Amino acid sequence: IINVNPADNVIIPKNKKNISKKKELKFFETSQLKQFKDYLDSLPNTFKNYYHKTLYLTLLSTGLRIGEAVALEWSDIDLEKGIVSINKTLNRYQEVNPPKSKAGYRDISIDKATILMLKQYKNRQQVKAWELGRSETVVFSVFTEKYAYACNLRRRLDKHFKNADVTNVSFHGLRHTHATIMLYAGIQPKDLQHRLGHSDISMTLNTYVHATKEGAQKSASIFENAINSL
């Protein structure tokens, strides 16, 4: 009856579910990170405690995913050059798989303190393994199994967060903490993208465009320095 369909001119509203508030990232502010590190240093010097301390600090210094960390073998780490090569990941079924994308294959440089920590940990692991009549090729092995179960490690991490009286940021929060530290230290987004193994830089930028208290304060200083240099 009518020549024009009025529905053709209707602008369809966006689905509100797709524009819902982005989930807030969990990561350590500087004060809580220091508190957690101080707590780790205060633990009795047993191999078990050193194992967990080494795992947590390795995640903080590299930004690795927990699946990438527990799949690491000593052959993947060059302790002389300070390079960690990521070429596999462990899934929830204890299966070793290649990284999810080509970008997941990457070499990560590590600092001198992390190199020294890993060397000391490797020596202690070898001694413990020899006591059990074993030799270990997996970095974070648990002796009874070739690879550690991430679910068991998470339960232990939860207890450490609680005992340290800090926010439970989860394993992924340690990765977020690493990325945040690197960004505010001045790393280029493209370099951070490579370090984290993101296939697209927009993923890196969209994930980590958030402000910390320190970052917010630093922003004012950056502007002040820039304006004063005019």
Side-chain angles (χ1 to χ4, degrees), residues 63-121:
L64 293 183
R65 302 173 179 90
I66 184 60
E68 294 171 333
V70 294
L72 278 177
E73 299 191 26
W74 286 113
S75 58
D76 298 322
I77 303 178
D78 188 331
L79 290 173
E80 298 308 314
K81 294 181 179 179
I83 300 293
V84 179
S85 297
I86 310 303
N87 51 57
K88 54 188 172 297
T89 186
L90 192 74
N91 67 19
R92 68 180 65 183
Y93 305 110
Q94 298 302 94
E95 299 168 338
V96 176
N97 294 320
K100 291 188 292 185
S101 66
K102 283 181 65 177
Y105 291 92
R106 62 202 189 277
D107 290 343
I108 296 175
S109 60
I110 51 177
D111 60 283
K112 293 179 181 178
T114 301
I115 293 171
L116 178 60
M117 177 185 67
L118 286 170
K119 284 181 176 180
Q120 293 174 339
Y121 167 74

Side-chain angles (χ1 to χ4, degrees), residues 12 23 37 41 94 102 111 122 125 159 178 208 225 227-228:
I12 302 173
K23 187 177 180 181
K37 289 187 69 178
D41 289 337
Q94 298 302 94
K102 283 181 65 177
D111 60 283
K122 185 178 183 182
Q125 184 195 52
K159 290 181 180 179
H178 171 80
Y208 295 106
N225 293 334
I227 204 72
N228 288 339

Side-chain angles (χ1 to χ4, degrees), residues 176-190:
H176 293 323
T177 301
H178 171 80
T180 302
I181 290 172
M182 297 296 281
L183 274 176
Y184 284 110
I187 192 173
Q188 293 299 310
K190 194 70 179 175

Side-chain angles (χ1 to χ4, degrees), residues 25-196:
L25 293 179
K26 290 184 177 181
F27 60 94
F28 280 140
E29 299 282 356
T30 301
S31 59
Q32 285 223 316
L33 177 57
K34 184 180 185 305
Q35 184 172 328
F36 184 57
K37 289 187 69 178
D38 288 345
Y39 161 77
L40 294 176
D41 289 337
S42 71
L43 294 173
N45 193 26
T46 63
F47 176 77
K48 184 177 181 180
N49 285 335
Y50 198 67
Y51 170 96
H52 291 291
K53 177 182 176 180
T54 302
L55 173 61
Y56 304 157
L57 295 183
T58 298
L59 293 172
L60 279 167
S61 66
T62 60
L64 293 183
R65 302 173 179 90
I66 184 60
E68 294 171 333
V70 294
L72 278 177
E73 299 191 26
W74 286 113
S75 58
D76 298 322
I77 303 178
D78 188 331
L79 290 173
E80 298 308 314
K81 294 181 179 179
I83 300 293
V84 179
S85 297
I86 310 303
N87 51 57
K88 54 188 172 297
T89 186
L90 192 74
N91 67 19
R92 68 180 65 183
Y93 305 110
Q94 298 302 94
E95 299 168 338
V96 176
N97 294 320
K100 291 188 292 185
S101 66
K102 283 181 65 177
Y105 291 92
R106 62 202 189 277
D107 290 343
I108 296 175
S109 60
I110 51 177
D111 60 283
K112 293 179 181 178
T114 301
I115 293 171
L116 178 60
M117 177 185 67
L118 286 170
K119 284 181 176 180
Q120 293 174 339
Y121 167 74
K122 185 178 183 182
N123 290 336
R124 293 188 65 170
Q125 184 195 52
Q126 286 178 338
V127 171
K128 192 71 176 177
W130 288 339
E131 290 175 357
L132 300 172
R134 297 170 56 93
S135 60
E136 297 298 326
T137 59
V138 175
V139 178
F140 295 109
S141 63
V142 287
F143 302 122
T144 54
E145 304 281 349
K146 183 175 182 179
Y147 297 105
Y149 280 85
C151 57
N152 293 336
L153 294 175
R154 286 189 184 93
R155 282 194 289 270
R156 176 61 59 178
L157 179 65
D158 290 346
K159 290 181 180 179
H160 283 306
F161 283 149
K162 183 177 180 180
N163 293 338
D165 194 26
V166 295
T167 303
N168 187 334
V169 298
S170 78
F171 274 126
H172 217 60
L174 301 181
R175 175 173 163 86
H176 293 323
T177 301
H178 171 80
T180 302
I181 290 172
M182 297 296 281
L183 274 176
Y184 284 110
I187 192 173
Q188 293 299 310
K190 194 70 179 175
D191 295 330
L192 182 61
Q193 175 197 354
H194 169 77
R195 197 168 179 87
L196 297 177

